[in-house]
């Protein structure tokens, strides 16, 4: 995530100030940076000094007389994070060769000005009602900012609380807006933990010496004496003192590094060659938008430990997706799973695969029952690759039967009851995965060697299936083709036939056509009557964008009455 995340504080004496910041360095690993620990004094010092040397020529004119670091006299304990002489913290990601560096101020003068500007605005004018909560502001010149303001309890502060904010600054407005749900959730967790630490300290201090009662007594003092006493006390305490956590900023460094790392892994850019495919359009249409117009994206959770290690924070992975709410099943991690379409065909047999694939291509509902939920979900995951994304409606696992208009792939437990009208219909296929009563130790490499599969259907399908099925089977039979090549073949075949579906869709919407005209079009498309049922089903998988475009063009090109 190409951003800077910073903790800011509103000091009653010096105003808004940057306490702590973390940024990522994407350049090659600097010389002398050998340690892998989160805290490294000498290496980080050389790292920052090398960065200053590399920027000295370009920034000499602007930094010769102006320093981007406030003077010591301009700061107090509340305005400082790491001790004087402490260079900061660093975490290195060995996979991406990115170094995450944390210190009080950015070294680059321009970055310091941007972060400083965002800090001032976040703690002055750009705030939520009530002065707590997230807000978005910024422009193309000073960058775009996500700011979350909050209060920290302090028994010696005015109003018994101090004002802080955590800001995320980046130049990419769209990226930052789409990261809003992720940032609100995880930065909110950081703030909650900070507030919990401070509340414990506040309660202890109040129990030892109630500050409110002392202030009530001092209110009857002379104004001059009261002012001198207030100025003489230690009323500008650091965040470390307020939380009584000496490792607080190291902990914040770990959190900030994780936010930057996980925030960057959430969204990736894809290079589109030519116009987007139907699967890409369908995927875009399925993205859920909030009321504010933001796009919801699944995020990776922060580790549950209070202080995650550097390895955990940089290599955290998302949990497996869960099934339907309320559905139960055997989630044994040792359950056998199918890894590819070729693997499924080898286990089920060529004839069984031909029949199941034929049913899938023409839109019949596939019901898979079994004891192992992981096995059922793996079957659905490999079979769905036969269809365009717009034709796939899946319920990976449900406790009860779901109608075919809701899903064409349905996973059920083995004891689930199926309605009689389904059992007697030709538009449904039931696959029962029968596990062995007792798994025996065997040298057979196939994990499904002791499993049996029972297919039940009332449909009488022709021996010759759709033309695309024949090509798919040829690709799966060719052992010289790797799994990646087979997957590429499936994508190419599906896109080829979706283009034929688009032609047929426009042809059918252009007016009433005779059967002879339809057969002539199929001949031009190199399709036969056996492909008609499949083409009609695949027509339901067209994206709304393409449907709207085709219908509008058909209306505009129709002759006037």
């Amino acid at each position: 995530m190409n951003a800077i995340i910073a903790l800011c504080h509103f000091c009653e004496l010096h105003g808004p100030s940057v306490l702590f910041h973390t940024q990522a360095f994407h350049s090659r690993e600097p010389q002398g940076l050998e340690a892998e620990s989160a805290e490294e004094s000498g290496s980080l010092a050389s790292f920052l000094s090398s960065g200053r040397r590399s920027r000295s020529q370009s920034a000499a004119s602007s930094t010769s007389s102006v320093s981007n670091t406030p003077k010591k006299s301009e700061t107090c304990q509340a305005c400082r994070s790491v001790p004087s002489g402490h260079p900061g913290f660093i975490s290195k990601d060995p996979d991406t060769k990115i170094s995450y560096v944390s210190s009080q101020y950015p070294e680059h003068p321009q970055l310091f000005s941007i972060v400083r500007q965002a800090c001032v605005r976040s703690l002055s004018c750009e705030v939520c009602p009530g002065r707590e909560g997230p807000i978005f502001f910024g422009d193309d010149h000073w960058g775009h900012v996500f700011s979350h303001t909050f209060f920290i309890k302090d028994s010696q502060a005015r109003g018994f609380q101090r004002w802080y904010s955590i800001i995320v600054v980046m130049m990419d407005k769209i990226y930052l807006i789409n990261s809003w749900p992720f940032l609100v959730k995880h930065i909110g967790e950081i703030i909650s933990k900070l507030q919990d630490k401070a509340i414990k300290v506040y309660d202890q201090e109040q129990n030892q010496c109630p500050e409110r009662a002392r202030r009530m007594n001092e209110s009857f003092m002379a104004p001059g004496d009261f002012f001198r006493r207030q100025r003489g006390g230690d009323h500008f305490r650091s965040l470390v003192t307020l939380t009584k956590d000496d490792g607080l900023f190291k902990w914040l460094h770990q959190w900030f590094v994780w936010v930057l790392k996980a925030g960057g892994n959430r969204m990736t850019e894809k290079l589109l060659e030519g116009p987007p495919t139907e699967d890409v359009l369908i995927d875009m249409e399925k993205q859920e938008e909030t009321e504010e117009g933001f796009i919801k994206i699944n995020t990776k959770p922060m580790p549950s430990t209070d202080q995650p290690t550097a390895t955990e924070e940089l290599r955290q992975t998302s949990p497996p997706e869960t099934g339907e709410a309320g559905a139960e099943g055997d989630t044994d991690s040792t359950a056998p799973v199918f890894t590819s379409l070729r693997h499924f065909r080898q286990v089920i047999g060529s004839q069984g695969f031909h029949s199941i694939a034929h049913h899938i291509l023409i839109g019949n509902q596939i019901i898979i029952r079994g004891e192992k939920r992981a096995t059922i979900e793996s079957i659905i995951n490999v079979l769905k690759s036969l269809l365009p994304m717009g034709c796939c409606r899946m319920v990976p696992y449900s406790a009860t039967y779901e109608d075919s208009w809701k899903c064409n792939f349905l996973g059920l437990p083995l004891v689930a009851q199926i309605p009689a009208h389904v059992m007697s219909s030709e538009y449904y296929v039931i696959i029962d995965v029968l596990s062995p009563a007792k798994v025996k130790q065997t040298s057979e490499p196939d994990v499904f060697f002791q499993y049996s599969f029972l297919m039940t259907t009332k449909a009488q399908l022709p021996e010759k299936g759709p033309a695309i099925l024949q090509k798919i089977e040829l690709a799966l039979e060719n052992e010289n083709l790797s799994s990646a090549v087979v997957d590429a073949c499936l994508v190419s075949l599906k896109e080829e036939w979706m283009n034929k579906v688009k032609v047929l869709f426009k042809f059918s919407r252009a007016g009433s056509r005779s059967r002879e005209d339809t057969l002539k079009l199929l001949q031009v498309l190199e399709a036969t009557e056996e492909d008609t049922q499949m083409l009609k089903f695949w027509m339901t998988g067209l994206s709304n964008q393409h449907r709207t475009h085709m219908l509008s063009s058909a209306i505009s090109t129709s002759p006037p009455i």
Side-chain angles (χ1 to χ4, degrees), residues 138-379:
D139 52 53
D140 293 336
H141 178 70
W142 290 104
H144 302 278
V145 183
F146 168 90
S147 172
H148 198 306
T149 53
F150 60 99
F151 289 106
I152 291 291
K153 299 294 289 185
D154 182 4
S155 60
Q156 297 185 18
R158 183 175 58 183
F160 301 102
Q161 59 187 9
R162 297 195 182 277
W163 201 21
Y164 291 84
S165 71
I166 295 179
I167 59 175
V168 179
V169 186
M170 64 187 312
M171 301 306 295
D172 193 335
K173 177 182 178 181
I174 302 300
Y175 197 109
L176 187 59
I177 289 178
N178 281 281
S179 300
W180 175 276
F182 171 82
L183 296 175
V184 168
K185 177 181 178 181
H186 295 291
I187 289 182
E189 292 182 25
I190 300 174
I191 293 172
S192 297
K193 292 180 182 295
L194 286 174
Q195 290 175 331
D196 291 342
K197 292 174 182 289
I199 287 175
K200 292 179 181 179
V201 177
Y202 175 82
D203 292 338
Q204 292 175 359
E205 294 178 347
Q206 288 297 315
N207 292 332
Q208 295 175 0
C209 179
E211 187 72 16
R212 188 179 299 274
R214 186 182 69 83
R215 293 188 183 184
M216 291 295 295
N217 294 331
E218 290 180 347
S219 63
F220 297 100
M221 297 173 56
D225 296 339
F226 176 71
F227 176 76
R228 283 191 293 271
R229 179 170 296 187
Q230 287 281 34
R231 296 287 291 180
D234 184 15
H235 296 283
F236 301 103
R237 302 191 294 175
S238 66
L239 190 59
V240 172
T241 304
L242 297 180
T243 58
K244 287 189 177 180
D245 185 356
D246 294 335
L248 178 69
F249 287 103
K250 180 178 178 179
W251 174 83
L252 276 176
H253 165 77
Q254 293 175 335
W255 262 102
F256 286 177
V257 168
W258 185 88
V259 170
L260 292 176
K261 175 70 175 179
N265 289 341
R266 291 172 57 254
M267 293 180 284
T268 56
E269 294 180 346
K270 294 182 178 179
L271 177 62
L272 298 179
E273 299 179 357
T277 62
E278 279 298 303
D279 284 357
V280 173
L281 293 176
I282 291 293
D283 189 42
M284 293 172 61
E285 291 175 357
K286 287 183 178 180
Q287 290 178 340
E288 185 179 356
E289 292 189 1
T290 64
E291 294 180 357
E292 297 83 1
F294 302 145
I295 297 175
K296 288 186 176 180
I297 302 175
N298 294 330
T299 60
K300 302 176 182 179
M302 182 66 189
S304 57
T305 56
D306 192 45
Q307 290 193 9
T309 63
T311 303
E312 290 173 339
E313 70 192 9
L314 294 179
R315 298 183 180 180
Q316 181 69 16
T317 57
S318 59
E321 295 182 0
T322 57
E324 293 295 309
E328 297 179 358
D330 189 347
T331 56
D332 185 8
S333 59
T334 61
V337 296
F338 290 96
T339 57
S340 64
L341 201 60
R342 175 179 285 168
H343 182 202
F344 179 78
R345 184 176 183 272
Q346 291 173 348
V347 173
I348 205 74
S350 58
Q351 292 184 352
F353 176 81
H354 179 86
S355 179
I356 294 172
H358 193 167
H359 282 284
I360 292 174
L361 292 173
I362 63 178
N364 290 346
Q365 187 181 40
I366 308 299
I367 304 171
I368 304 172
R369 298 189 300 183
E371 297 177 354
K372 304 293 185 180
R373 176 172 177 172
T375 304
I376 295 174
E377 292 181 347
S378 69
I379 295 175

Side-chain angles (χ1 to χ4, degrees), residues 379-398:
I379 295 175
I380 294 177
N381 285 332
V382 298
L383 291 181
K384 72 178 184 180
S385 62
L386 292 170
L387 291 177
M389 187 179 295
C391 297
C392 295
R393 303 182 307 279
M394 298 175 296
V395 177
Y397 202 86
S398 175

Side-chain angles (χ1 to χ4, degrees), residues 369-555:
R369 298 189 300 183
E371 297 177 354
K372 304 293 185 180
R373 176 172 177 172
T375 304
I376 295 174
E377 292 181 347
S378 69
I379 295 175
I380 294 177
N381 285 332
V382 298
L383 291 181
K384 72 178 184 180
S385 62
L386 292 170
L387 291 177
M389 187 179 295
C391 297
C392 295
R393 303 182 307 279
M394 298 175 296
V395 177
Y397 202 86
S398 175
T400 57
Y401 172 78
E402 299 287 349
D403 291 329
S404 58
W405 62 269
K406 291 183 179 180
C407 58
N408 54 340
F409 291 101
L410 174 63
L412 295 173
L414 197 59
V415 296
Q417 297 295 323
I418 298 179
H421 74 276
V422 175
M423 300 292 294
S424 60
S425 175
E426 61 180 6
Y427 300 109
Y428 302 85
V429 179
I430 302 173
I431 304 174
D432 290 327
V433 183
L434 305 178
S435 306
K438 183 178 181 181
V439 179
K440 301 179 180 179
Q441 297 295 332
T442 177
S443 59
E444 181 67 30
D446 188 4
V447 292
F448 289 99
F449 175 70
Q450 303 178 42
Y451 282 71
S452 58
F453 298 83
L454 178 62
M455 187 175 70
T456 305
T457 182
K458 294 293 184 180
Q460 297 293 331
L461 298 177
E463 294 183 2
K464 184 179 180 182
I468 188 176
L469 178 57
Q470 301 173 22
K471 295 183 179 181
I472 291 175
E473 290 178 318
L474 287 175
L476 295 175
E477 290 174 359
N478 191 344
E479 296 293 338
N480 294 326
L481 301 180
S482 63
S483 299
V485 174
V486 172
D487 292 341
C489 288
L490 287 175
V491 173
S492 177
L493 288 172
K494 288 188 292 185
E495 194 62 26
E496 174 189 351
W497 281 86
M498 281 303 291
N499 289 331
K500 298 179 181 182
V501 169
K502 294 175 183 178
V503 176
L504 186 62
F505 176 79
K506 187 164 186 176
F507 174 81
S508 62
R509 296 300 185 272
S512 59
R513 303 289 185 176
S514 63
R515 176 178 173 79
E516 290 76 13
D517 293 336
T518 303
L519 292 177
K520 290 179 180 178
L521 177 63
L522 292 176
Q523 185 177 3
V524 172
L525 297 175
E526 297 182 355
T528 61
E529 290 192 64
E530 287 79 6
D531 302 316
T532 304
Q533 189 175 3
M534 185 203 77
L535 292 172
K536 290 181 179 179
F537 170 58
W538 282 32
M539 204 178 294
T540 63
L542 288 174
S543 62
N544 294 331
Q545 179 178 343
H546 183 79
R547 288 172 178 271
T548 304
H549 173 71
M550 296 297 284
L551 291 176
S552 61
S553 61
I555 295 175

